[in-house]
Amino acid sequence: MNTINVTIKDRLALITLNRGKSNALNREMITELTDMLHNIANDDNIGGVIIAGRDNFFSAGLDLIELYGYNEEEAESFWHLFLAFIAKITAFKKPMVAAINGHSPAGGCVIALACDARVMAEGKFIIGLNEVPVGIIVPESIFSLYAFWLGKGHATRSLLEGRLFSPEEALNIGLVDELVNQDSIMTAAERKIRKYMALEPNTWQQSKLNIRKELIAATSADQSEALKVMLAQWWSPATRNILKMIIDNLQKK
């Protein structure tokens, strides 16, 4: 695997996102994550998963530089792949905790939202869904995931503003569950997931699926019509101009 590292200890799998400085999500990374989750789901020797980033980034979200260069067919297949991955991680039966060690906007936030709990590092980091100011229409399935934790009112206001939260703000609105010193994040995440793993597995997993029934239905539903609308906006001159400005800024850094 080129974009993730996986270690297993005492029935706990640690998936570390490992792609460049910011862990931007591209086709290869999403494919590797999807395949790894499939393997873990079917491995009776693994009882839970922690997903973590590196340095000061959990994940900066989708790799806009790579996506910008896609043709129409590539863009459509990528978005189908990404939404299928979100459906898979949302319906993942085993306990999963996000160790948010740094910045986690956009797609990084979506991965964290699909987990059962989120432990975030204290510091000058950001988390949230900021797609709207970028010119990307957020599918209903991803809004459902946001609203599952924030409630519809908070999620609606935050999404339409493209608001990004500090760790303290994220804790106050229920976007994350715990704040810890960055050096302690793996200890805190493991402490949280071990509590889940100590419970009777079938009872815990079935309860999770029951609680998420509507959410799983929303993320697993046919996304074709929503993607048509989304892709039409993706190729619009307005969105292309915004993306070009963002990419120019990224490439200057």
Side-chain angles (χ1 to χ4, degrees):
M1 291 174 292
N2 297 319
T3 66
I4 60 175
N5 296 330
V6 182
T7 57
I8 299 166
K9 185 185 79 171
D10 299 331
R11 303 190 69 247
L12 175 61
L14 169 61
I15 299 175
T16 304
L17 307 179
N18 184 30
R19 180 172 181 261
K21 178 185 174 184
S22 64
N23 281 327
L25 301 161
N26 70 342
R27 187 185 302 274
E28 182 181 27
M29 193 176 202
I30 292 166
T31 300
E32 290 189 352
L33 282 167
T34 301
D35 291 346
M36 182 52 59
L37 288 178
H38 176 79
N39 293 341
I40 291 171
N42 292 294
D43 189 338
D44 292 337
N45 294 314
I46 299 175
V49 180
I50 292 174
I51 299 183
R54 292 182 308 114
D55 302 324
N56 291 320
F57 280 90
F58 180 72
S59 170
L62 299 182
D63 185 341
L64 295 179
I65 296 174
E66 183 171 312
L67 267 66
Y68 187 82
Y70 286 169
N71 61 32
E72 290 191 21
E73 184 180 336
E74 290 168 335
E76 184 175 356
S77 72
F78 173 84
W79 284 106
H80 274 292
L81 178 74
F82 179 67
L83 292 178
F85 164 64
I86 297 307
K88 187 174 190 70
I89 195 172
T90 300
F92 189 77
K93 291 195 297 185
K94 297 178 181 181
M96 185 180 298
V97 170
I100 308 169
N101 53 292
H103 298 297
S104 187
C109 181
V110 175
I111 291 176
L113 288 168
C115 293
D116 300 299
R118 285 150 296 284
V119 179
M120 189 169 187
E122 298 166 332
K124 294 182 178 179
F125 302 123
I126 53 170
I127 184 170
L129 299 184
N130 62 328
E131 283 82 351
V132 170
V134 175
I136 298 173
I137 296 173
V138 176
E140 184 182 355
S141 59
I142 289 179
F143 172 75
S144 297
L145 201 51
Y146 213 25
F148 184 75
W149 298 109
L150 270 65
K152 285 190 174 180
H154 267 312
T156 298
R157 285 188 289 271
S158 302
L159 190 72
L160 293 179
E161 293 174 10
R163 186 169 175 192
L164 293 169
F165 299 94
S166 69
E168 291 77 14
E169 291 169 333
L171 181 66
N172 288 337
I173 63 167
L175 179 51
V176 301
D177 303 287
E178 185 179 353
L179 296 184
V180 295
N181 183 283
Q182 194 176 32
D183 294 337
S184 306
I185 193 155
M186 295 311 302
T187 302
E190 183 167 350
R191 183 171 61 239
K192 191 167 284 288
I193 199 165
R194 293 285 182 194
K195 287 182 180 178
Y196 296 148
M197 291 171 64
L199 300 171
E200 200 285 313
N202 189 58
T203 303
W204 192 93
Q205 291 174 21
Q206 193 55 55
S207 296
K208 173 179 176 175
L209 295 182
N210 289 346
I211 290 165
R212 291 185 174 220
K213 186 177 180 180
E214 291 181 5
L215 186 59
I216 290 168
T219 53
S220 301
D222 185 350
Q223 308 279 318
S224 300
E225 289 305 311
L227 270 177
K228 282 182 185 176
V229 175
M230 186 181 175
L231 285 165
Q233 183 61 35
W234 175 261
W235 291 110
S236 72
T239 294
R240 301 303 283 179
N241 287 338
I242 295 170
L243 290 171
K244 184 68 167 59
M245 283 192 296
I246 292 170
I247 289 166
D248 286 346
N249 286 331
L250 288 171
Q251 290 176 330
K252 286 175 187 173
K253 292 180 179 178

